[in-house]
Amino acid sequence: MFRSAIVRPPSANFSEGLTREDLGPPDFALALAQHEQYCAALERCGLQLTRLPADARHPDATFVEDTAVLLPRCCVITRPGADSRRGETEAVRECLSMQGVPLETIIAPGTVDGGDICEAGEHVFIGLSARTNAEGAAQLGALLQAAGYTSSIVDIRGVDGILHLKSGLSWLGERRLLLIDALADDPAFAEFEPVLVESDEAYAANAVLVNDVVFLASGYRRTAARLRELGHALVELDMSEFRKMDGGLSCLSLRY
């Protein structure tokens, strides 16, 4: 059960962040409103929020998930793969340290983005991507093993359309995964029950299990219907402005 989360609103220069999408610039006022709706949903699920201030030095800083990997027995400050994002970890490290959370750290030349790390109970999937390299994955894998977790590597460098592993994959609890078709045959997922997302709803694959509720981006009718058929309670949230900047639901918080 998650009890806490770290969040950070977008800064006024949010549109200057990194993106591969071609959906136009985000509407800043709407992004703020969508972020607040997301925070309110976390609070309704019982989480106490630590709200970091917006950081105009780092336009991508609202995507706090990339700065750390937080598991009950292993908390790691990452080293983001994009040079422009390295400074985002400072405030998160300070915040967690003030709360007494023991922290490990990914060191150079390793890089890890939290968006490439998918916890599935006692097992962790580590994505190799343009942002998480083999050295970073190896460092994280060793830290997880020392803490009693198992892990496996999923190489997404040849998968079109996703920036991070969790762009195309979410854990739904127990042995169930929500994932895009391009990941379905990866042997890392062989022991899990796949729930496939249709190609025109691929963005919905980035969902978030928050205690007993699944957060899902709104507007993906078939994915929502399938999850409800499987017995999942949903909170659907508008993510239009964050999608323009390559962000998804998981990116907007560090849950622990």
Side-chain angles (χ1 to χ4, degrees):
M1 296 287 288
F2 295 126
R3 295 180 174 83
S4 304
I6 297 171
V7 294
R8 183 170 227 160
S11 56
N13 62 342
F14 177 47
S15 63
E16 297 174 12
L18 303 172
T19 186
R20 307 175 310 162
E21 295 288 351
D22 188 21
L23 300 172
D27 180 313
F28 176 58
L30 182 53
L32 284 178
Q34 290 176 353
H35 189 270
E36 187 54 40
Q37 291 163 4
Y38 177 90
C39 291
L42 290 173
E43 290 177 325
R44 287 195 302 272
C45 289
L47 277 65
Q48 181 175 344
L49 303 188
T50 298
R51 296 174 181 254
L52 299 178
D55 182 3
R57 299 171 304 161
H58 301 101
D60 293 297
T62 190
F63 301 128
V64 290
E65 182 185 54
D66 289 321
T67 63
V69 177
L70 302 182
L71 281 73
R73 302 188 305 275
C74 186
C75 297
V76 182
I77 297 296
T78 65
R79 184 169 180 265
D83 290 346
S84 63
R85 301 196 62 190
R86 300 267 164 84
E88 295 175 26
T89 62
E90 296 173 9
V92 174
R93 180 191 296 276
E94 181 179 353
C95 174
L96 291 167
S97 295
M98 290 179 64
Q99 295 178 22
V101 177
L103 297 171
E104 304 286 353
T105 305
I106 301 298
I107 60 174
T111 62
V112 172
D113 271 19
D116 280 317
I117 314 306
C118 182
E119 176 192 358
E122 292 292 299
H123 188 77
V124 179
F125 299 109
I126 302 173
L128 284 185
S129 72
R131 302 287 179 85
T132 296
N133 65 17
E135 171 62 24
Q139 289 183 34
L140 181 60
L143 293 170
L144 291 168
Q145 183 178 23
Y149 295 97
T150 58
S151 65
S152 53
I153 301 294
V154 182
D155 191 342
I156 66 164
R157 290 173 294 183
V159 179
D160 291 334
I162 59 172
L163 174 65
H164 291 123
L165 177 61
K166 281 192 288 195
S167 302
L169 172 71
S170 303
W171 180 53
L172 298 175
E174 301 297 331
R175 308 296 289 179
R176 182 175 289 169
L177 298 174
L178 181 69
L179 72 172
I180 59 173
D181 187 65
L183 295 176
D185 293 330
D186 194 292
F189 309 132
E191 297 183 5
F192 286 76
E193 173 194 352
V195 180
L196 296 183
V197 177
E198 296 180 33
S199 59
D200 62 338
E201 294 198 356
Y203 182 73
N206 180 253
V208 184
L209 178 63
V210 182
N211 299 336
D212 57 351
V213 174
V214 175
F215 287 15
L216 186 73
S218 62
Y220 300 95
R221 179 180 55 80
R222 295 190 302 280
T223 303
R226 177 62 177 146
L227 292 178
R228 288 193 173 98
E229 288 173 3
L230 291 170
H232 294 285
L234 301 184
V235 171
E236 296 182 68
L237 295 164
D238 188 355
M239 289 292 292
S240 64
E241 304 315 294
F242 296 98
R243 183 179 182 182
K244 293 174 182 178
M245 301 305 296
D246 254 334
L249 282 163
S250 71
C251 308
L252 293 180
S253 63
L254 279 165
R255 304 158 300 279
Y256 56 107

